[in-house]
């Protein structure tokens, strides 16, 4: 009876472990679901020519430091020296200069939390001065 009792105890210990492993494996091995619909660009039989860019794109994929500074300067002029969060986000997402992108993200975060971003804007002004675009102080 000792051999049978030991096997039963072993099965009782192994069964919950095996069930847990099976449950984890089932969650990991499932195939990803296909999207319900394909994006409209793929459904359209007409291909857009590279010569005519998409008119809905609001900003180019990449902005140079100079272009980003010009956009920032124009935005500050439009808003009487107060930076616009969407403009700062656009700069942060598209500028090729990593420091400038980080400063723009910091400005967005500071404005969201405190309403102002004097240090981040001072750093952006300095970057823009180095790029040859003067952004006047508020």
């Amino acid at each position: 009876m000792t051999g049978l009792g030991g096997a039963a105890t072993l099965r009782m210990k192994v069964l919950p472990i095996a069930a847990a492993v099976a449950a984890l494996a089932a969650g990991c091995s499932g195939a990803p679901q296909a999207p319900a619909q394909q994006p409209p660009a793929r459904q359209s039989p007409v291909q857009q020519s590279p010569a005519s860019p998409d008119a809905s794109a609001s900003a180019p994929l990449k902005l140079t430091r100079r272009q980003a500074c010009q956009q920032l300067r124009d935005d500050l002029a439009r808003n009487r020296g107060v930076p616009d969060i969407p403009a700062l986000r656009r700069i942060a997402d598209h500028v090729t200069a990593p420091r400038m992108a980080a400063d723009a993200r910091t400005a967005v975060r500071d404005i969201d939390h405190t309403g102002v971003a004097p240090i981040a804007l001072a750093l952006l002004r300095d970057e823009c001065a180095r790029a040859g675009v003067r952004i006047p102080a508020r």
Side-chain angles (χ1 to χ4, degrees), residues 7 9 42 46 52-53 57 99 103 109 124 134:
T9 304
R42 292 185 183 188
V46 178
S52 63
R99 175 178 279 174
D103 291 341
R109 187 175 53 245
L124 284 169
R134 185 178 176 281

Side-chain angles (χ1 to χ4, degrees), residues 27-49:
C28 295
S29 66
Q33 293 181 345
Q37 294 179 351
Q38 289 185 353
R42 292 185 183 188
Q43 290 177 352
S44 174
V46 178
Q47 295 291 329
Q48 185 176 359
S49 73

Side-chain angles (χ1 to χ4, degrees), residues 104-133:
R105 283 187 188 93
T106 301
V108 168
R109 187 175 53 245
D110 290 352
I111 291 169
D112 280 344
H113 290 272
T114 64
V116 294
I119 295 172
L121 287 175
L123 292 170
L124 284 169
R125 280 188 182 96
D126 182 61
E127 280 287 316
C128 290
R130 293 170 194 253
V133 178

Side-chain angles (χ1 to χ4, degrees), residues 40-94:
R42 292 185 183 188
Q43 290 177 352
S44 174
V46 178
Q47 295 291 329
Q48 185 176 359
S49 73
S52 63
D54 186 12
S56 66
S58 61
L61 292 176
K62 301 286 183 186
L63 286 174
T64 64
R65 276 188 345 166
R66 185 172 186 84
Q67 291 170 329
C69 289
Q70 289 168 343
Q71 284 190 10
L72 180 62
R73 180 194 60 205
D74 295 345
D75 179 64
L76 290 171
R78 266 191 310 274
N79 296 314
R80 296 186 201 119
V82 179
D84 187 30
I85 289 180
L88 288 169
R89 283 191 178 133
R90 188 172 40 254
I91 289 168
D93 291 343
H94 298 289

